[in-house]
Amino acid sequence: MKRFSTQDFLHKKTDGQKITVLTAYDFPTARMVDEADINAILVGDSLGNVVLGYETTIPVTLDEVVYHTKAVVRGSNQAMIIADMPFLTYHTGTADALRHAGRLMQEGGAQAVKLEGGQERVEVIKAMVDAGIPVMGHLGLTPQSVHQLGGFKVQGKTESAAKRLLEDALALEEAGVFALVLELIPAVLAKQITDKLKVPTIGIGAGVGCDGQVLVIHDMLGFTSNKTPKFVKKYCNLHDQIGNALKKYKDEVENGQFPGEEHSIVHQNEPDLPKLY
Ligand code: KIV
């Protein structure tokens, strides 16, 4: 089956259809996301937070994203797979960035990569696009810069910050990104940026005016008991459902209810068992 492509991203914007994106980091989750006809799967460096137990995305390595991308590619057929470029894999020069993005595509099997930052990334994005690497931009709250931003805070709240974000968005479009993630910025600003760009915007905590939406799958499925940001809608509560199933299993093993006959091998005619004594 043909995968969703960068051209499909553009066509959806032109046709006024919303684009759906979710993160996934492993084979079974990717399979479910793919079966739900979600347009694209982001193997985000959020895997550091929700899968590997880090407090930020900063410790996530390129090897880790390559490893998880491979599993996601194996689990999907139709979704476009976008792999996140980890902290410092695209900041030390164009040659490094090309080599690292190349690993995500050649070894990982991703169709595109995502990186964070504005005008300061233009040179590297142009080089990647020239090399045939589709690049998704990421503006607003850029978690790899959390220590510089002073925490996970709403961005673009002042007039000058909003102006800078718009300029960054236009510069990224000019550099050749096929889409742009807008994270944790006022909805009105996200809508203004969306209206100014030809390429689609994918919002997370950026309101309904974006061309599409992305969420971290563990957050929207309620996989952890952690407090989630206001912009996350929990579509189910897997933490409680899984917790209840685990408690039930423990009780049933301890009181001899599991395994019952239906989960045991019972022959009509008992085979001749070897004599042990
Ligand atoms: O790493 C990630 O999952 C992301 C999304 C939150 C956009 O960058």
Side-chain angles (χ1 to χ4, degrees), residues 23 42 44-46 84 114 138 181 183 204 214 216:
T23 69
L42 172 65
D45 60 358
S46 52
D84 231 347
K114 176 173 83 59
H138 185 159
V181 169
E183 180 164 355
I204 173 162
V214 59
V216 170

Side-chain angles (χ1 to χ4, degrees), residues 191-210:
K191 172 82 175 109
Q192 279 171 356
I193 294 175
T194 302
D195 290 346
K196 286 258 189 260
L197 295 187
K198 289 184 201 67
V199 296
T201 58
I202 307 297
I204 173 162
V208 74
C210 296

Side-chain angles (χ1 to χ4, degrees), residues 63-154:
D63 283 343
E64 285 165 343
V65 180
V66 168
Y67 174 89
H68 286 273
T69 302
K70 283 183 183 179
V72 167
V73 170
R74 285 193 294 267
S76 56
N77 293 310
Q78 61 82 25
M80 176 175 181
I81 310 302
I82 305 161
D84 231 347
M85 297 198 69
F87 182 58
L88 288 194
T89 61
Y90 51 97
H91 310 67
T92 53
T94 307
D96 284 349
L98 284 173
R99 199 170 49 251
H100 296 149
R103 279 197 63 201
L104 293 170
M105 294 180 76
Q106 287 187 303
E107 287 177 50
Q111 284 84 58
V113 302
K114 176 173 83 59
L115 54 78
E116 298 179 4
Q119 289 160 59
E120 68 283 8
R121 303 283 169 250
V122 161
E123 195 184 324
V124 100
I125 292 172
K126 277 190 177 157
M128 288 162 90
V129 173
D130 277 353
I133 300 171
V135 181
M136 176 181 247
H138 185 159
L139 290 175
L141 175 69
T142 44
Q144 291 172 10
S145 311
V146 60
H147 298 310
Q148 204 168 40
L149 298 173
F152 296 97
K153 296 177 183 162
V154 179

Side-chain angles (χ1 to χ4, degrees), residues 222-274:
F223 202 93
T224 65
S225 58
N226 297 351
K227 199 170 170 297
T228 43
K230 170 186 156 83
F231 60 79
V232 172
K233 177 168 177 181
K234 283 195 184 183
Y235 285 82
C236 61
N237 190 336
L238 281 192
H239 177 266
D240 287 2
Q241 282 174 264
I242 293 174
N244 289 338
L246 299 180
K247 276 189 215 121
K248 193 153 188 239
Y249 167 75
K250 176 179 153 65
D251 288 349
E252 289 193 1
V253 169
E254 286 177 352
N255 66 27
Q257 227 180 316
F258 177 83
E261 240 182 56
E262 70 279 29
H263 300 113
S264 304
I265 317 301
V266 183
H267 290 273
Q268 286 298 75
N269 303 310
E270 283 297 333
D272 289 338
L273 294 173

